[in-house]
Amino acid sequence: MRSHMDTHTANILDGKALSDRLRGEIGKEAAELTQKHGRAPGLAVIIVGNDPASHVYVKNKKLGCEKAGIHSFSHELPADTSQQHLLGLISELNQNPKVDGILVQLPAPKHIDPETIIEAIDPGKDVDGFHPYNVGRLAARQPSLRSCTPYGCMKLLAETGLDLHGMECVIVGASNIVGRPMALELLLAGATVTICHRFTENLQSHIERAEIVIAAAGKRGLIKGEWIKQGAIVIDVGIHRLEDGSLTGDVEFDEASKKAGWITPVPGGVGPMTITMLLANTVQAFKIHVGDE
Ligand SMILES: NC(=O)C1=CN([C@@H]2O[C@H](COP(=O)(O)OP(=O)(O)OC[C@H]3O[C@@H](n4cnc5c(N)ncnc54)[C@H](OP(=O)(O)O)[C@@H]3O)[C@@H](O)[C@H]2O)C=CC1
Ligand SMILES: Nc1nc(=O)c2c([nH]1)NC[C@@H]1CN(c3ccc(C(=O)N[C@@H](CCC(=O)O)C(=O)O)cc3)C=[N+]21
Ligand SMILES: [Mg+2]
């Protein structure tokens, strides 16, 4: 019973449970499409170098594919792979009719320019939704392949059952892969959107008036629990691995839980949803390629 303010704790937005549910549906659709078209949806994952954290994400992506009946093609390249070689591989995968989605794990080593790589991917196979074509589609209110992390955050927000029209949203972080496409998603959903970044003055004052907080600065504990407006929805995108191996986010979870109406945990919040939306995008890309939509 939540009869007293002091004992208030937020509802958990469970990204693991929602992922399990959605991956069941994605797997069902992948099986139907495989039956109908005689081949499974295919995802090519390219990783350059041996950053251990990146390898964990890539392993999770492959496992997610397997369980959903999506064929995964893995390309593990050494850290000294030239940009030209990588562009050659992308060009082959762009042509390969068995490959519906192409993902190049970021960050890549320093001698590789991420913008050049992203632009080389066929926009119809850009299951990360990072290509300027796909970002532009979202900006122009005609979304095609949508960036996985913001798309996953929108699915989590839908779980609250709340109408987002006119909601005061504050996004912390303005990166190309999270903050910016997140703002476009929320704008498309009819919310009022503020984007905070490195040059924002008085972050606290912005958070204090937010009905929805999206924390994606990549700074552990940046968002203080006591800043959260009573009843607000808090989506924590940040991921930080602590010395003991555990994970935590950009939000002070325990403190924020006392104020928020809804909150995502780390782990088990946004992370699993990012991979789920990657699987959903791969099925969508398959449908684009076979002309099923
Ligand atoms: N759960 C998931 O699925 C995913 C999680 N992540 C995690 O999310 C976090 C963000 O990732 P990503 O977007 O790639 O990170 P980036 O470092 O690319 O971007 C961080 C953004 O936050 C801004 N920022 C940094 N410090 C502050 C501050 N003190 N106040 C306000 N804004 C600040 C930066 O501003 P400026 O632009 O001015 O530098 C930048 O716009 C990381 O912890 C990452 O691990 C990322 C992707 C997926
Ligand atoms: N081209 C590209 N596309 C990406 O989507 C991409 C990328 N590069 N580079 C790195 C970031 C990060 N990212 C995550 C994916 C899953 C979890 C995830 O599954 N997290 C679990 C925990 C996993 C663990 O135990 O480490 C959780 O939060 O519960 C986290 C982070 C995708 N990214
Ligand atoms: Mg505190």
Side-chain angles (χ1 to χ4, degrees):
M1 280 292 288
R2 291 186 187 121
S3 52
H4 192 273
M5 288 271 286
D6 289 348
T7 59
H8 174 91
T9 49
N11 296 299
I12 299 295
L13 280 171
D14 185 341
K16 179 72 176 61
L18 179 56
S19 276
D20 287 348
R21 212 161 76 225
L22 292 176
R23 289 187 202 194
E25 292 167 16
I26 293 163
K28 215 170 141 241
E29 190 172 14
E32 285 163 9
L33 289 167
T34 303
Q35 175 80 17
K36 185 169 167 197
H37 297 279
R39 73 169 180 92
L43 173 66
V45 178
I46 305 174
I47 182 165
V48 186
N50 43 26
D51 174 55
S54 293
H55 276 274
V56 171
Y57 298 142
V58 166
K59 197 187 80 197
N60 287 349
K61 286 168 185 170
K62 280 191 234 163
L63 270 172
C65 282
E66 259 169 50
K67 285 196 188 153
I70 292 170
H71 192 102
S72 75
F73 304 86
S74 185
H75 297 269
E76 301 188 13
L77 307 178
D80 63 358
T81 300
S82 70
Q83 176 160 306
Q84 201 183 343
H85 181 86
L86 182 54
L87 290 171
L89 174 58
I90 291 170
S91 166
E92 273 172 37
L93 296 170
N94 281 342
Q95 307 296 323
N96 186 335
K98 290 186 175 135
V99 172
D100 300 290
I102 302 170
L103 177 150
V104 180
Q105 184 71 16
L106 298 175
K110 279 199 297 291
H111 65 279
I112 289 169
D113 173 37
E115 272 147 33
T116 304
I117 298 307
I118 289 165
E119 287 209 45
I121 297 170
D122 176 346
K125 296 192 177 189
D126 168 39
V127 284
D128 263 326
F130 291 169
H131 193 289
Y133 172 83
N134 285 316
V135 180
R137 291 287 301 225
L138 181 60
R141 295 184 273 193
Q142 305 161 60
S144 180
L145 291 168
R146 310 157 85 134
S147 299
C148 301
T149 299
Y151 194 9
C153 292
M154 296 309 290
K155 295 281 182 193
L156 285 164
L157 287 171
E159 287 297 287
T160 68
L162 296 167
D163 181 4
L164 302 184
H165 289 90
M167 289 266 257
E168 285 287 342
C169 300
V170 173
I171 300 164
V172 187
S175 71
N176 284 354
I177 74 165
V178 186
R180 280 164 204 263
M182 189 73 236
L184 295 173
E185 285 285 355
L186 288 167
L187 193 56
L188 183 62
T192 301
V193 182
T194 301
I195 310 173
C196 298
H197 46 75
R198 208 174 289 283
F199 303 122
T200 298
E201 290 182 20
N202 204 347
L203 178 62
Q204 177 176 353
S205 69
H206 289 284
I207 301 295
E208 281 174 346
R209 60 176 182 72
E211 297 173 284
I212 298 177
V213 176
I214 312 281
K219 296 277 149 68
R220 177 185 167 196
L222 175 69
I223 311 298
K224 303 300 167 212
E226 60 227 23
W227 297 353
I228 303 299
K229 189 184 179 81
Q230 198 71 45
I233 307 172
V234 178
I235 308 283
D236 193 350
V237 181
I239 296 188
H240 310 276
R241 193 169 292 279
L242 305 183
E243 256 115 75
D244 66 359
S246 65
L247 297 181
T248 188
D250 283 1
V251 178
E252 292 184 336
F253 182 85
D254 291 344
E255 293 288 310
S257 296
K258 295 176 188 160
K259 307 282 294 288
W262 297 86
I263 191 166
T264 60
V266 179
V270 176
M273 290 301 296
T274 295
I275 295 181
T276 299
M277 302 328 290
L278 173 69
L279 305 176
N281 279 350
T282 304
V283 168
Q284 195 192 329
F286 179 101
K287 292 199 278 184
I288 294 173
H289 300 142
V290 299
D292 208 320
E293 81 170 14

